[in-house]
Amino acid sequence: MQNTPRDKLHALLQSLDNAARRSGRPAPRLLAVSKRHPVTAVAEMASAWRQERPGEVPAFGENYVQEARAKAEALAAAGGPPVEWHLVGHLQSNKAALAADLFDWVQSVDSVRLAAALGRHRDAGRSPMNVLLQVNIDAEPGKHGCAPADVPALAAAVAAQPALALRGLMAIPAPLPEPERRREAFARMRALFDSLRTQHAGVDTLSMGMSDDAELAIAEGATMVRVGTALFGPRN
């Protein structure tokens, strides 16, 4: 029975590797989505990650700036090795200054205004912030993300910011019950990604797929998957 953080991490990494092998794709990078889980759980998973993948920096995804900041400060105060922080939730422009200081990656950039705010607030003495454009691939009402047709203009706006590094795309397709319909959305994301790569040399990341559809996303070319429940259990 998989009880320890390392057991859960090992099983998940093995399943991702197996899915990639079956589809003839490279194994994707894992982002452990730690939102609404305590900092103790993050610290335990970070330790397990370093044991399982020595030399690899653990990467954690958060939805809220304030929650992520509290966790980052707690881990830093404990004196542990560094981790990589990704914002995967919607970011309002008025919180761009906090996000630009805290996160290594923002995966949810969906407007020129937000890109400009992040670029303005990122310390020029630091490495550029890694940015993914969030795409509302299924045109769901009320869901954040730019329209697929807006990707080229938004990408150009990000690339024009010296303090930002355009790395690729992120999407959360509609949670349709039919796997093939989800796979079709992932395929459309891959087409957008391939097109973007022809225009911007630094683009290398397609973030899509979560606990229940990671295998489908990998088959369509995801280079990063975002998994929370399989690692941390249900959220409170």
Side-chain angles (χ1 to χ4, degrees):
M1 188 173 181
Q2 298 160 3
N3 289 320
T4 72
R6 188 172 182 185
D7 288 337
K8 294 176 181 178
L9 179 63
H10 177 84
L12 176 61
L13 291 172
Q14 189 64 56
S15 70
L16 297 179
D17 288 347
N18 289 342
R21 193 175 301 111
R22 284 193 297 271
S23 61
R25 301 278 192 182
R29 190 176 179 205
L30 171 65
L31 180 68
V33 179
S34 48
K35 65 179 182 180
R36 302 209 311 271
H37 291 289
V39 67
T40 52
V42 178
E44 289 172 354
M45 189 59 64
S47 176
W49 199 315
R50 295 186 187 100
Q51 295 173 53
E52 189 69 20
R53 294 278 177 91
E56 187 173 295
V57 177
F60 295 95
E62 292 285 336
N63 270 40
Y64 305 106
V65 175
Q66 297 289 4
E67 180 183 349
R69 182 166 70 171
K71 291 176 181 177
E73 289 175 350
L75 290 183
V83 302
E84 190 174 271
W85 293 102
H86 293 231
L87 181 67
V88 294
H90 177 64
L91 177 64
Q92 296 175 326
S93 296
N94 62 3
K95 293 185 178 178
L98 288 174
D101 180 61
L102 173 61
F103 291 99
D104 303 290
W105 292 65
V106 173
Q107 298 202 16
S108 51
V109 172
D110 60 1
S111 71
V112 171
R113 180 183 179 189
L114 178 56
L118 287 170
R120 183 168 63 252
H121 290 294
R122 184 70 167 184
D123 187 339
R126 297 178 61 185
S127 60
M129 168 174 279
N130 299 294
V131 165
L132 300 183
L133 311 183
Q134 182 174 358
V135 181
N136 186 353
I137 191 62
D138 288 318
E140 294 177 86
K143 178 176 272 189
H144 296 292
C146 70
D150 293 336
V151 166
L154 182 53
V158 171
Q161 294 286 336
L164 305 181
L166 177 65
R167 298 293 297 272
L169 303 175
M170 182 272 268
I172 308 171
L176 300 170
E178 304 90 343
E180 284 309 310
R181 291 181 67 189
R182 288 201 212 182
R183 182 163 183 164
E184 193 271 336
F186 289 139
R188 282 185 278 122
M189 280 300 302
R190 178 57 191 245
L192 277 176
F193 176 68
D194 287 342
S195 177
L196 190 64
R197 291 177 71 185
T198 68
Q199 302 298 318
H200 298 276
V203 169
D204 60 3
T205 302
L206 179 56
S207 173
M208 60 184 190
M210 297 185 285
S211 293
D212 61 345
D213 56 14
E215 186 168 341
L216 291 175
I218 292 168
E220 291 301 333
T223 70
M224 179 183 291
V225 295
R226 308 179 305 274
V227 178
T229 302
L231 290 173
F232 297 105
R235 296 181 180 89
N236 297 324

